[in-house]
Amino acid sequence: ANSYVGFDTITQQIEHKLLKRGFQFNVIVAGQTGLGKSTLINTIFASHLIDSKGRLEPDEPVRQTTEIHPVSHVIVENGVRLRLNIVDTPGYGDQVNNENCWDPIVKYIKDQHSAYLRKELTAQRDRHIQDTRIHCCLFFINPTGHSLRPIDIIVMKKLSEVVNVVPVIAKADSLTLEEREAFKTRIREELIYNNIRLYPFDTEENDEEEVQLNETIRSMIPFAVVGSERTVIIDGKQVRGRKNRWGVVNVEDERHCEFVHLRNFLTRSHLQDLIETTAQIHYEAFRSKQLLALKE
Ligand code: GDP
Ligand code: MG
């Protein structure tokens, strides 16, 4: 018998362990009703189901999101299995009075920190803790082409205190490419003007490579995305897309929108950094505050 334990076997064992443990990446979406949050979540998952199973599930009608709820699937990226959890939220800021409309989302994020801290304080050494902490918040911006709404600026500020906020321009198919570029520049300027410090954060310890990584992210943000629950046929292939009177938008075509960039950002290039930043900056801030309060 062959007793040699090859690299493949070891990788599989690690993978199996990670999977069994529930190696987890948690994302939340936030923004006004009707900007395509639920649709984008489905688009992200569907694009992975295509990769892994070679087929698409039938179209579902879009439903109104009435509560905060997570949607979870195991996906495979770079040969590593990952439990991707995306938390859908109802729209906010649609009311005449938008006071504290961000509270439910901020509370949800803090509740996950609190649950983790409780487990951390009671867990035996070496026991793995189920991680529901939110690693990234996709913030949906209305594609007006003009400027951010005052409420968006307030909410982004509130959210950025507890989570890595990554803004996206929703329904980017409603802007021309020129309008899109101008809007992206405008949003970046407004973020700076309003002193909103979003992910990524610069620290003094950052080495050359990390500084470079941060610059790359800043040049991409906000991602101009398009989502779709439907499939269209392009060149004989089924793809996620939107058909209108002028033509077809292929969600996965980089010339049409930045969906693929966003997906790569989340599930490949910045996955680890988002997880680490959450633990080291956001969770740590929460934890030290709680522990200090306990002492008093
Ligand atoms: P939510 O309220 O933010 O969750 O928005 P939904 O995902 O429920 O979408 C609201 C409506 O916008 C639906 O009719 C979608 O088909 C449509 N929609 C979603 N994404 C896009 C997009 O990228 N472009 C366009 N043009 N419409 C979209
Ligand atoms: Mg929804």
Side-chain angles (χ1 to χ4, degrees), residues 29-43 62-65 88-91 94 140 143 169-174 225-230 242 244 249 251 257:
V29 295
Q32 228 176 309
T33 298
L35 287 184
K37 296 180 294 300
S38 300
T39 306
L40 194 80
I41 292 175
N42 285 337
T43 314
V62 174
R63 67 289 79 181
Q64 184 86 16
T65 317
D88 202 356
T89 67
D94 319 316
F140 284 61
I169 298 174
K171 301 186 175 181
D173 52 321
S174 56
V225 295
V226 176
S228 175
E229 313 239 346
R230 298 185 179 282
R242 306 192 72 89
N244 60 32
V249 181
V251 166
C257 77

Side-chain angles (χ1 to χ4, degrees), residues 241-272:
R242 306 192 72 89
K243 200 181 279 179
N244 60 32
R245 281 203 286 153
W246 305 276
V248 176
V249 181
N250 177 356
V251 166
E252 299 212 34
D253 189 330
E254 289 172 50
R255 290 166 303 178
H256 294 187
C257 77
E258 295 167 343
F259 172 78
V260 170
H261 297 256
L262 173 65
R263 191 181 58 188
N264 282 345
F265 166 82
L266 286 178
T267 62
R268 294 184 187 173
S269 63
H270 294 82
L271 175 75
Q272 195 182 340

Side-chain angles (χ1 to χ4, degrees), residues 22-295:
F23 181 68
Q24 191 106 38
F25 183 57
N26 307 313
V27 178
I28 200 166
V29 295
Q32 228 176 309
T33 298
L35 287 184
K37 296 180 294 300
S38 300
T39 306
L40 194 80
I41 292 175
N42 285 337
T43 314
I44 291 174
F45 283 128
S47 69
H48 280 281
L49 299 179
I50 295 171
D51 293 349
S52 59
K53 289 187 196 132
R55 65 174 188 83
L56 293 162
E57 79 284 18
D59 290 339
E60 265 180 41
V62 174
R63 67 289 79 181
Q64 184 86 16
T65 317
T66 53
E67 55 180 15
I68 296 182
H69 75 103
V71 191
S72 186
H73 285 287
V74 174
I75 64 168
V76 180
E77 276 295 339
N78 291 337
V80 175
R81 279 160 179 276
L82 173 73
R83 179 163 285 281
L84 177 60
N85 201 29
I86 308 187
V87 182
D88 202 356
T89 67
Y92 69 82
D94 319 316
Q95 310 298 317
V96 176
N97 180 2
N98 290 322
E99 213 177 315
N100 298 338
C101 61
W102 56 83
D103 270 358
I105 300 177
V106 169
K107 180 175 183 301
Y108 184 91
I109 293 166
K110 283 189 174 170
D111 282 350
Q112 311 315 309
H113 284 166
S114 172
Y116 195 89
L117 178 59
R118 233 176 300 124
K119 288 182 207 154
E120 208 174 46
L121 292 175
T122 55
Q124 299 131 280
R125 265 177 67 212
D126 294 341
R127 264 251 326 270
H128 179 72
I129 302 175
Q130 167 89 7
D131 193 359
T132 61
R133 294 173 297 181
I134 301 293
H135 302 116
C136 179
C137 172
L138 294 180
F139 186 88
F140 284 61
I141 295 169
N142 205 331
T144 58
H146 304 299
S147 53
L148 296 169
R149 297 186 308 163
I151 184 74
D152 289 334
I153 291 169
I154 295 171
V155 175
M156 263 197 264
K157 219 170 209 167
K158 291 283 173 199
L159 288 171
S160 65
E161 286 165 12
V162 292
V163 68
N164 296 324
V165 176
V166 172
V168 303
I169 298 174
K171 301 186 175 181
D173 52 321
S174 56
L175 298 171
T176 67
L177 292 181
E178 290 83 33
E179 287 169 337
R180 218 185 271 180
E181 271 322 303
F183 195 33
K184 282 174 80 134
T185 309
R186 177 71 194 263
I187 291 169
R188 284 192 212 119
E189 286 167 0
E190 283 193 89
L191 291 173
I192 294 169
Y193 178 80
N194 289 288
N195 209 6
I196 304 181
R197 288 186 62 241
L198 298 185
Y199 174 84
F201 307 100
D202 287 322
T203 65
E204 269 130 46
E205 303 133 43
N206 276 2
D207 59 30
E208 189 87 7
E209 206 178 310
E210 287 164 321
V211 169
Q212 194 52 50
L213 184 77
N214 286 358
E215 277 317 306
T216 325
I217 306 170
R218 290 200 186 95
S219 68
M220 295 191 290
I221 285 171
F223 295 95
V225 295
V226 176
S228 175
E229 313 239 346
R230 298 185 179 282
T231 64
V232 291
I233 310 280
I234 295 177
D235 298 333
K237 269 171 62 185
Q238 268 202 13
V239 296
R240 288 263 148 176
R242 306 192 72 89
K243 200 181 279 179
N244 60 32
R245 281 203 286 153
W246 305 276
V248 176
V249 181
N250 177 356
V251 166
E252 299 212 34
D253 189 330
E254 289 172 50
R255 290 166 303 178
H256 294 187
C257 77
E258 295 167 343
F259 172 78
V260 170
H261 297 256
L262 173 65
R263 191 181 58 188
N264 282 345
F265 166 82
L266 286 178
T267 62
R268 294 184 187 173
S269 63
H270 294 82
L271 175 75
Q272 195 182 340
D273 192 64
L274 287 163
I275 292 176
E276 279 172 10
T277 305
T278 300
Q280 288 161 12
I281 296 183
H282 300 295
Y283 176 65
E284 197 46 44
F286 175 87
R287 186 173 165 276
S288 43
K289 220 167 141 189
Q290 293 292 309
L291 295 183
L292 262 180
L294 272 182
K295 277 189 197 152

